Amino acid sequence: MNVKSRARIGAALGVAALGLGVALAPAAQADPNPITQYRTLAGVGSDTTQDVLNGLGDVVKNALGQKIIASWNATGTATIKTKATGCVINRPNGSSAGIDALRNAVDTNSGCLDFARSSRGPADLTSTDLTWIPFAKDAVSWVKRSDSALPSDLTAAQLKDVYECNLTSLNGVALTPILPQTNSGTRQFFLSSIGVTAPGACVQQGVQENDGTVLDTAGDIAPYSVAQYTAQEKAVVTDRRGAAVLGSVGTIAPRNADKTLNLSFPFTRDVYNVVPTAKLTNATIAATFVGSSSKVCAAGTTIAAYGFGTLGTACGATTVKGER
C-alpha cells in the first residue's frame, strides 16, 4: 500500500461525533456548532482527544448554562476562526501542532487560543511556561487487519524490530509498518514506548492517526489509540476502524473483557489539556481544567463514554510543566 492510498483519510475525518450526556448515539458534529458561537476557551491539537473534548464542550457549562469549551478538530477546513475578532489561523493537526499554535498565541499575545489538546507529555521539562493538565487515561496498541495471518500478539521488542525494519515478515506475511504524521502525539508516544528513535526506511509515514481504513494489505500494522478504537466501536464517534483489530503486547490485551481500558497494558498514557502556566489562576481556566473537582474532571461519565479511563484525584493536577 502506498502513501497516496492512505491520504484519503483526510477527507474522512471531517465529521466527528459529540452528542453524549448518557445517550451514545453519534452526532454529525465536529468543530463548535455553530462555528460562529465563540465560547470562552478555544483549543486545538490532538486527533486522539478531539472527540472527547467535543463531548466535554457540550456538557461543561458556566453558571448561566452557557458552553465554555470550543475545541477545533485536527482536520477539516484549512483555516479556523477561534474568536469573534481576528484570530483566523491555520488548523493545527496533532498534539505538537496544537502546542506550537498555543505557544505562538502566547508569544504574540493574540488571545486566539487558550489551551491545546495533547496526547503526549512535554518534550522539555526544564521549562515552566506551559502546564500539562491530565484529564483521562488512554493506551496505544497496534492494529492489523482482521483477515491477516499476522499474529495477534507481538512483544515490544518485535514491534521495535518491525519499525526499525529489522523484522520484515511474520507467518509468511510481508510487513508494512505505518505511522501517523509527525505532529501526532500518538506517533511520538508509540515510538518512545517501543524504543524507536528513528523509524526505518520501510515505514509508511504521514497518515492521519486512528483510522483503520488505511490498512488495505495483509501486512499492514499501525499504532492506534485504544480509547479511540473503543469509541469508534461503540459508534460514539465516526467509525473509522475498517478491518482493523487491536493486537496485544507481550500477551497483555489493551482492553478488559468488558472492553474497558486495561490498566495493566504496558503502553498506557495520560492525555492532557495544555494551558499557559501564567493563566492557571484565570478563573475560567481554573474552574474548567484545574483540580479533581474541576468541570472537566467532574464529567467522568462523558470521559468514560469516549473510551478513556478516568484519573480520580490525579485528574486536573498541575505539576507537569515544560516545553518552551
Side-chain angles (χ1 to χ4, degrees):
M1 178 164 92
N2 57 38
V3 173
K4 182 178 179 182
S5 70
R6 303 184 205 287
R8 67 181 182 273
I9 175 72
L13 262 182
V15 179
L18 300 184
L20 235 241
V22 176
L24 300 181
Q29 298 179 6
D31 294 338
N33 184 41
I35 58 173
T36 53
Q37 184 183 74
Y38 300 108
R39 302 172 192 169
T40 307
L41 302 179
V44 293
S46 168
D47 175 297
T48 296
T49 63
Q50 65 181 21
D51 297 306
V52 67
L53 259 296
N54 287 338
L56 290 168
D58 256 7
V59 301
V60 172
K61 300 177 181 179
N62 62 19
L64 299 176
Q66 299 165 328
K67 296 176 183 179
I68 299 170
I69 297 172
S71 184
W72 275 262
N73 278 7
T75 62
T77 56
T79 60
I80 56 176
K81 182 177 172 64
T82 61
K83 301 288 182 176
T85 303
C87 292
V88 176
I89 64 173
N90 292 329
R91 183 187 296 268
N93 182 1
S95 299
S96 293
I99 292 163
D100 287 345
L102 177 63
R103 181 187 298 116
N104 182 67
V106 173
D107 289 345
T108 61
N109 198 30
S110 68
C112 292
L113 291 172
D114 304 286
F115 72 97
R117 304 185 304 269
S118 184
S119 61
R120 65 165 177 85
D124 178 9
L125 290 170
T126 65
S127 174
T128 60
D129 291 316
L130 297 179
T131 296
W132 268 246
I133 306 178
F135 73 95
K137 182 73 74 174
D138 188 19
V140 177
S141 191
W142 61 281
V143 292
K144 66 166 189 169
R145 288 184 58 88
S146 59
D147 55 4
S148 171
L150 290 176
S152 297
D153 178 72
L154 294 173
T155 66
Q158 284 177 310
L159 288 166
K160 175 179 170 68
D161 280 344
V162 169
Y163 277 88
E164 291 181 339
C165 303
N166 298 320
L167 179 60
T168 58
S169 68
L170 282 167
N171 292 353
V173 179
L175 287 158
T176 304
I178 302 165
L179 281 176
Q181 48 91 18
T182 55
N183 282 316
S184 164
T186 292
R187 170 196 170 108
Q188 295 177 43
F189 176 82
F190 178 72
L191 291 177
S192 175
S193 296
I194 62 175
V196 172
T197 302
C202 71
V203 179
Q204 294 277 350
Q205 304 190 51
V207 305
Q208 193 65 31
E209 64 195 86
N210 302 320
D211 190 316
T213 65
V214 301
L215 277 64
D216 59 9
T217 67
D220 290 347
I221 71 169
Y224 216 106
S225 158
V226 176
Q228 267 285 340
Y229 190 95
T230 299
Q232 291 175 30
E233 184 178 50
K234 294 193 300 182
V236 177
V237 302
T238 301
D239 188 355
R240 306 187 306 252
R241 294 173 302 145
V245 290
L246 288 168
S248 58
V249 175
T251 73
I252 302 175
R255 300 192 295 181
N256 300 311
D258 62 357
K259 298 185 179 180
T260 57
L261 185 68
N262 180 6
L263 296 180
S264 297
F265 188 69
F267 303 157
T268 59
R269 60 176 175 176
D270 288 347
V271 291
Y272 306 87
N273 292 306
V274 182
V275 303
T277 301
K279 291 190 175 182
L280 285 173
T281 55
N282 173 277
T284 303
I285 286 178
T288 303
F289 297 123
V290 177
S292 58
S293 60
S294 64
K295 293 178 183 294
V296 163
C297 292
T301 300
T302 298
I303 292 169
Y306 282 87
F308 292 91
T310 54
L311 294 178
T313 57
C315 185
T318 58
T319 55
V320 180
K321 306 181 191 300
E323 196 137 8
R324 284 288 283 164

